[in-house]
Amino acid sequence: MSESILEMEEGLHRGYEERMEDSLKMAASTFTSCFAVSALAIAWHRYVESEVPMPYLDEFFHVQQAELYLEGHFSQWHPKITTPPGLYGVSLFLLGILSLIGVIKYIRVADLRRTNLLAATLLPVSLRSIVSKNISKYDGFDSNPEMLSDLWLKAEVNHAVFNMCIFPPLCFFYALYYTDVWSVLSVLITFQFHQWKWRRFMVVAAIFSLFFRQTNIFWVAIFLGGLEIIRKIQPGRSGVEFPAKPTLLDIVTGSWQHSRIYDPLINQASFGDYIMTALSLAVATLAQLPQLLRILKPYLIVLSAFAWFVLWNEGVVMGDKENHIASIHLAQMLYIWPYIMFFSFALLYPYILAAIIPRKLLPSSLRATPPSIQRPQLKVALPICAIMALIVRYNTIVHPFTLADNRHYTFYVFRLLLRSHPLTRYAVIPIYYFSAYAAIAALGGYPNVPKPRRKSSTSRPERNQIRSGLQPRLPPPGVESVANDYRGNHVSLALIWLLSTALSVITAPLVEPRYFILPWLIWRIYVVPSRSTGENTARRLDKKDRGIREFVKGVFWNRHDPNVWLETVWLAAVNWGVGYVFLYGGFEWVGERGRVQRFMW
């Protein structure tokens, strides 16, 4: 008896040591990500401070408003500012503390811009936590999501997080006094609290995010609320709650009777499955409405707070209301797809190749793609392209600011689309369609995704339980293990992302790359990580070769997704090009000689 107790204590002690080791490694890798992003942001800030010491473009309004807050004039508001005062409140808090302790004596433009450096440093922390939680599902570590499956995966997570942080439309504003960086960070913090199920903190963080940008309501309330619903409602099983080939009637009756949703994996779904999933989700939600209202209470509180603000403010925007009138601008949901394709083609090109190249000519890894995600069907593509053409014809809205300011890149894009040839705007519809196809398919998984990697037949938590004399927790009878079943995201996730994205952009008549930062970032978080196949996958599981040489070789190529490196190179090149043109490619307007104008997002 005493020997079994001793063995149990030794097992628990070893399990504790392993958890501590993993926690320290995770903290070290998170610090590495923060250091890399912070160093990049500081370097960019120094270049901007050197070449553009004075406020530029909308910074004039933001700096003036921040100065009013620093002087205590909280009731005065600049008439050209449309977003709430969260950025100025953060600046007041941070710079006020620095002034009290004597670090700064008087506040300059550069000091206000440094407010965003803190947010840039914190971004990797939130992103790594969120991405780690998602990737843990792919590798079957739901029982302990903070512990990733091996060292190599942690390196991949850090790399993906770094790429997200150098996303050009976001990275550019690390050194300028705009609201975007803190807006993104506040939404990500809310996302973290949602994952951790800290509901009270989530409500506070969600309301805090609304102080930076009004459209955040669609991410902290609609998107996260939608995730809460699909987390509560279990997916139905084929052959049990739903037939193998269900009809719409089967979907309605099964969802209502069993309170489950028809929710296939994206990489196994046809276009009709998206319609069925939307219908099933609506019916199952109605079937469990009283229970769902209880768990949706935090999100309803946030929605109520936002509704109160709109009533109090007599509108959504704070100022310049005549130039920012809400309207239905469906074309925004066309522009987002080439936007995603431009910045993420390194991750999307496998799907484009699988869609346009004959199957026999594809590489073996792409040839193995399931037919349902390999090639768009003509009977689906034609109606969708027809709808896109109708949107282009009847709902293309060109805001006066778009073609009046040649300092923004959108000016040149729209001038090409609208003024080169009358048919140009229709000629790009295939680009919209194939970009959308690839972006949605990427949420389902790479064409060469193998089965989730496992270091042995039992996971680490299970091995710790065995060492301590406890039995591992087995899945319920008739339910397969998540690790053996998970192959990417489900259709419901894509639908909720599409809904939130549409709500956040289609009411804006003005087209700006900044408006698509959060839709891209949330999409990138859920892009299923690629995995090497064959020998490299097997060698991932071998812990005996963790020497320096193997570590470097594994991190930089063999055990790393090469597409993520390609993504890094491309994003860095875009950042360098845009940054160089901004700093050194200035020009003058005829009517404003001596004043340098600069290109920016």
Side-chain angles (χ1 to χ4, degrees):
M1 183 69 178
S2 59
E3 292 181 357
S4 63
I5 295 176
L6 182 61
E7 290 178 357
M8 183 182 297
E9 290 178 349
E10 291 178 351
L12 291 173
H13 181 67
R14 285 193 297 269
Y16 173 77
E17 289 181 342
E18 288 184 351
R19 288 193 295 272
M20 285 298 297
E21 179 185 357
D22 276 348
S23 297
L24 291 175
K25 288 179 180 178
M26 185 175 64
S29 60
T30 303
F31 174 79
T32 302
S33 299
C34 292
F35 177 80
V37 175
S38 178
L40 178 66
I42 291 173
W44 172 232
H45 178 272
R46 288 181 177 177
Y47 276 108
V48 173
E49 184 178 358
S50 174
E51 300 295 330
V52 194
M54 300 301 294
Y56 182 69
L57 214 61
D58 288 359
E59 277 191 312
F60 283 106
F61 313 141
H62 294 305
V63 169
Q64 291 173 11
Q65 187 62 46
E67 290 174 346
L68 289 174
Y69 269 54
L70 291 169
E71 295 170 358
H73 303 303
F74 301 109
S75 60
Q76 298 183 28
W77 189 255
H78 197 290
K80 291 295 183 181
I81 296 178
T82 62
T83 51
L87 179 64
Y88 323 121
V90 170
S91 298
L92 176 64
F93 176 75
L94 295 177
L95 298 180
I97 292 177
L98 294 178
S99 298
L100 287 175
I101 62 179
V103 175
I104 56 176
K105 294 182 180 180
Y106 61 93
I107 296 173
R108 305 170 301 161
V109 174
D111 297 322
L112 291 172
R113 288 171 172 173
R114 288 192 184 97
T115 304
N116 282 334
L117 293 181
L118 175 60
T121 304
L122 296 176
L123 277 176
V125 180
S126 291
L127 281 170
R128 194 183 190 284
S129 173
I130 295 169
V131 174
S132 299
K133 175 71 174 179
N134 288 339
I135 290 184
S136 67
K137 297 186 296 184
Y138 306 137
D139 288 346
F141 274 69
D142 289 326
S143 55
N144 198 356
E146 293 300 324
M147 304 304 172
L148 301 179
S149 54
D150 57 39
L151 180 61
W152 315 120
L153 182 56
K154 293 170 186 174
E156 290 175 328
V157 170
N158 290 335
H159 193 172
V161 167
F162 178 78
N163 285 355
M164 296 178 205
C165 291
I166 65 170
F167 180 55
L170 175 64
C171 184
F172 182 85
F173 293 101
Y174 290 166
L176 295 178
Y177 195 59
Y178 277 65
T179 62
D180 301 272
V181 184
W182 275 97
S183 172
V184 168
L185 177 64
S186 63
V187 171
L188 293 177
I189 292 174
T190 308
F191 199 165
Q192 278 186 276
F193 290 145
H194 162 83
Q195 288 186 327
W196 297 343
K197 300 181 181 180
W198 295 4
R199 296 192 171 188
R200 294 181 179 178
F201 288 98
M202 192 213 69
V203 171
V204 174
I207 294 177
F208 178 66
S209 74
L210 299 180
F211 278 88
F212 295 98
R213 190 172 289 277
Q214 295 92 323
T215 53
N216 287 348
I217 185 65
F218 301 115
W219 298 105
V220 300
I222 304 300
F223 180 75
L224 296 183
L227 294 184
E228 192 69 40
I229 290 175
I230 61 177
R231 184 162 64 183
K232 173 66 176 179
I233 305 177
Q234 295 296 319
R237 294 163 293 181
S238 178
V240 181
E241 287 85 11
F242 301 103
K245 294 183 178 181
T247 63
L248 289 177
L249 181 60
D250 295 330
I251 294 298
V252 172
T253 56
S255 302
W256 182 264
Q257 293 176 359
H258 303 286
S259 296
R260 293 203 173 198
I261 58 173
Y262 177 77
D263 195 12
L265 293 164
I266 292 175
N267 58 20
Q268 298 174 0
S270 64
F271 180 77
D273 288 325
Y274 286 82
I275 299 175
M276 290 186 178
T277 300
L279 178 62
S280 176
L281 188 58
V283 173
T285 299
L286 290 175
Q288 296 193 46
L289 190 58
Q291 300 92 324
L292 290 176
L293 286 177
R294 286 195 293 270
I295 67 171
L296 292 177
K297 184 178 179 180
Y299 310 96
L300 296 176
I301 291 175
V302 176
L303 281 171
S304 301
F306 181 74
W308 175 86
F309 161 77
V310 173
L311 292 174
W312 170 81
N313 187 54
E314 297 181 352
V316 176
V317 298
M318 298 286 291
D320 200 19
K321 296 183 179 181
E322 62 275 9
N323 289 317
H324 294 81
I325 301 173
S327 59
I328 302 300
H329 192 186
L330 298 177
Q332 295 273 31
M333 287 304 293
L334 303 182
Y335 306 144
I336 190 173
W337 305 118
Y339 179 94
I340 293 175
M341 176 60 70
F342 175 78
F343 292 109
S344 303
F345 81 94
L347 306 177
L348 300 182
Y349 77 87
Y351 302 100
I352 297 297
L353 294 178
I356 64 178
I357 297 178
R359 184 184 182 91
K360 295 181 179 180
L361 300 180
L362 288 172
S364 58
S365 59
L366 298 182
R367 200 178 304 154
T369 308
S372 60
I373 66 168
Q374 181 175 344
R375 190 180 302 277
Q377 297 179 349
L378 191 61
K379 63 181 181 181
V380 174
L382 288 179
I384 292 179
C385 288
I387 294 173
M388 289 181 173
L390 291 175
I391 293 174
V392 170
R393 174 65 179 85
Y394 296 105
N395 199 237
T396 296
I397 299 176
V398 182
H399 195 280
F401 289 174
T402 301
L403 294 178
D405 193 342
N406 64 346
R407 295 170 294 184
H408 296 287
Y409 292 108
T410 50
F411 169 86
Y412 301 96
V413 174
F414 273 87
R415 190 169 68 171
L416 174 65
L417 289 177
L418 301 178
R419 295 185 178 179
S420 58
H421 191 279
L423 297 180
T424 302
R425 64 176 73 181
Y426 299 100
V428 297
I429 288 176
I431 297 178
Y432 296 152
Y433 176 79
F434 282 106
S435 298
Y437 162 80
I440 297 299
L443 295 175
Y446 274 73
N448 61 348
V449 164
K451 293 181 179 180
R453 299 178 285 108
R454 300 303 298 267
K455 288 183 281 191
S456 67
S457 59
T458 56
S459 65
R460 173 175 290 177
E462 292 171 346
R463 292 199 301 274
N464 292 340
Q465 289 175 334
I466 293 173
R467 292 192 190 106
S468 61
L470 302 174
Q471 294 297 321
R473 180 180 295 178
L474 299 176
V479 178
E480 297 182 3
S481 171
V482 173
N484 296 325
D485 182 62
Y486 207 93
R487 297 293 185 275
N489 296 299
H490 290 258
V491 170
S492 58
L493 183 277
L495 292 175
I496 293 171
W497 176 80
L498 284 169
L499 175 63
S500 304
T501 299
L503 291 174
S504 66
V505 299
I506 64 173
T507 57
L510 187 62
V511 180
E512 284 200 32
R514 294 184 296 144
Y515 295 169
F516 298 124
I517 291 177
L518 269 173
W520 180 89
L521 194 61
I522 300 298
W523 171 84
R524 182 62 182 87
I525 286 171
Y526 280 96
V527 170
V528 175
S530 177
R531 291 290 176 264
S532 303
T533 55
E535 180 183 356
N536 290 339
T537 302
R539 292 194 64 190
R540 282 176 177 270
L541 313 183
D542 186 8
K543 284 192 173 183
K544 296 180 181 180
D545 59 354
R546 283 195 176 180
I548 297 297
R549 179 181 177 183
E550 287 297 324
F551 175 83
V552 174
K553 186 178 179 181
V555 167
F556 283 93
W557 194 253
N558 284 350
R559 303 183 180 104
H560 209 89
D561 179 11
N563 290 340
V564 180
W565 283 112
L566 181 59
E567 181 187 35
T568 304
V569 172
W570 172 244
L571 295 179
V574 173
N575 276 318
W576 181 87
V578 172
Y580 185 87
V581 171
F582 176 74
L583 295 176
Y584 308 111
F587 62 98
E588 293 182 355
W589 283 343
V590 175
E592 297 185 16
R593 294 298 183 183
R595 184 176 180 180
V596 179
Q597 308 298 333
R598 302 177 186 275
F599 295 101
M600 61 183 295
W601 293 111

